[in-house]
Amino acid sequence: MSPHASRGPSHSGVLHEYAPKLVAFEFTPPTDGINKINSLIFVGGLTDGFCTVPYVSKLANALENTEWSVFSVLLSSSYSGWGVGSLDRDVEEIGQCVRFIRDLKASRQPGAMTKAAKIAIMGHSTGSQDVLHYLYSPNPVPQKEFDFGLQHMVRPELDGAILQAPVSDRESLLAIVESSSQPDELRKIYDQLVSSAQEQPYTADKNDSILPMNLTAKLSYPADAPLSARRFLSLVSPHSPDNPSDDDLFSSDLSDKRLQETFGMVGTQGMVKSKLLALYSGKDEYCPHWVDKEKLLQRWQQATEAGGAKWDAENSGVVPGASHNVRDEGQQDLIDRVLRYLQTL
């Protein structure tokens, strides 16, 4: 690194190993931990890891004088691992983190204290898919043909859940192809990858098939990240909207019936005690121009409430001017909404 290269800020906190080879960073000085009985677990999106989403540390600072501490969690799918990950594996690992934090916060309390610790999770982008998958899927997640060592453990319930920038990966890719200077060429590459992935999702010895990285890079996926046929088909969901994949939760063309099977199952599963909060970025660069954000949020709210779960209508909504990861405009609005929500739990 050049001596004049820019460096990011430093953050005080504690790094916890919540499971073998998996860690979470708690944004709080060790001496303050005993006063922070409640926890907000932040789950990033594709390619995210520690400090890659700019508002997280600012949110932690805003909660400094409260009983809430922020944990940024690393999953197997963090950084470049997303391409061979799955929502099932993500929610298993998030469940492990929730159990660890519950035990940690209980151990910090003096013997006479019996106040119950609250835990909420907040997903950014594809992390929102993790949050909704955590809430609506069977508990534990069902056995699938190729699970690659999933433990299928029962997930602990949560006190709160937040979706931030819940954008459709499928619609985002379709928009990239449509707006390209060479849409016909990109469509051919897309069709080639879908065909290849469907023909050979797994190798003969039942391992993931990895798609040609020179082709996935042309669809704007990171050139240095391996992408399995299985995860690619889940993200692009070629049979949607009629038969959507696990990852296709937020597309605007999904039927009301499909929303009843996802948002509508949150109440039935009973995994969250409080309301669901959804925050869509007003200028999300990954949201296609044809998506009516307000209407989409209304449909999600209707499906959630029809299923018996609660929706935070007061704080949910479109954050004006905010980009996908709320880099600049809209940060304070986002943080204020999250703080108001946590106060209601």
Side-chain angles (χ1 to χ4, degrees), residues 9 44 55 81 87 90 106 115 137 154 191-192 203 221 231 237 261 266 274 324:
Y55 66 76
L87 298 186
D90 285 355
K115 190 173 181 180
S137 294
V154 174
D191 290 340
Q192 179 184 343
T203 63
Y221 291 115
R231 190 67 195 270
S237 194
E261 296 168 349
V266 172
S274 188
H324 184 63

Side-chain angles (χ1 to χ4, degrees), residues 122 281 335:
M122 178 176 184
S281 293
I335 290 171

Side-chain angles (χ1 to χ4, degrees), residues 19-249:
K21 298 182 179 180
L22 297 172
V23 295
F25 182 79
E26 183 182 11
F27 286 87
T28 184
T31 53
D32 289 350
I34 194 169
N35 299 318
K36 293 187 170 291
I37 187 171
N38 302 325
S39 308
L40 176 64
I41 302 174
F42 176 80
V43 183
L46 300 188
T47 76
D48 281 323
F50 287 153
C51 301
T52 56
V53 180
Y55 66 76
V56 179
S57 60
K58 295 180 180 179
L59 175 59
N61 289 339
L63 290 167
E64 194 169 317
N65 295 320
T66 73
E67 293 184 328
W68 289 86
S69 61
V70 176
F71 288 78
S72 180
V73 62
L74 281 192
L75 308 173
S76 299
S77 60
S78 298
Y79 296 119
S80 296
W82 60 271
V84 293
S86 69
L87 298 186
D88 282 355
R89 181 178 294 279
D90 285 355
V91 300
E92 290 262 343
E93 293 177 358
I94 292 168
Q96 288 178 289
C97 189
V98 172
R99 280 189 292 271
F100 172 86
I101 292 173
R102 282 209 191 282
D103 292 342
L104 173 72
K105 291 299 177 83
S107 71
R108 286 177 175 176
Q109 293 190 69
M113 289 184 66
T114 58
K115 190 173 181 180
K118 293 181 172 63
I119 296 184
I121 58 174
M122 178 176 184
H124 159 70
S125 191
T126 308
S128 294
Q129 283 149 231
D130 286 333
V131 172
L132 185 55
H133 197 75
Y134 193 105
L135 299 183
Y136 91 86
S137 294
N139 190 20
V141 292
Q143 185 80 32
K144 293 182 180 176
E145 185 178 2
F146 298 105
D147 269 347
F148 303 108
L150 278 186
Q151 299 180 46
H152 298 277
M153 299 172 67
V154 174
R155 304 186 301 281
E157 68 177 15
L158 304 163
D159 296 280
I162 304 170
L163 312 175
Q164 189 271 313
V167 176
S168 162
D169 286 285
R170 172 170 66 91
E171 289 187 321
S172 177
L173 180 60
L174 292 175
I176 289 172
V177 172
E178 178 191 278
S179 62
S180 165
S181 58
Q182 299 174 305
D184 293 339
E185 180 185 343
L186 281 193
R187 172 55 72 171
K188 287 179 181 178
I189 292 172
Y190 169 84
D191 290 340
Q192 179 184 343
L193 286 169
V194 168
S195 177
S196 174
Q198 289 176 332
E199 287 173 6
Q200 190 179 14
Y202 301 100
T203 63
D205 53 356
K206 297 185 178 181
N207 290 316
D208 267 327
S209 291
I210 303 301
L211 297 174
M213 294 167 70
N214 63 314
L215 295 183
T216 57
K218 290 184 178 180
L219 294 182
S220 297
Y221 291 115
D224 59 349
L227 178 55
S228 71
R230 171 185 51 78
R231 190 67 195 270
F232 175 73
L233 291 175
S234 187
L235 290 168
V236 304
S237 194
H239 299 301
S240 285
D242 296 332
N243 185 23
S245 67
D246 282 354
D247 271 284
D248 194 10
L249 295 174

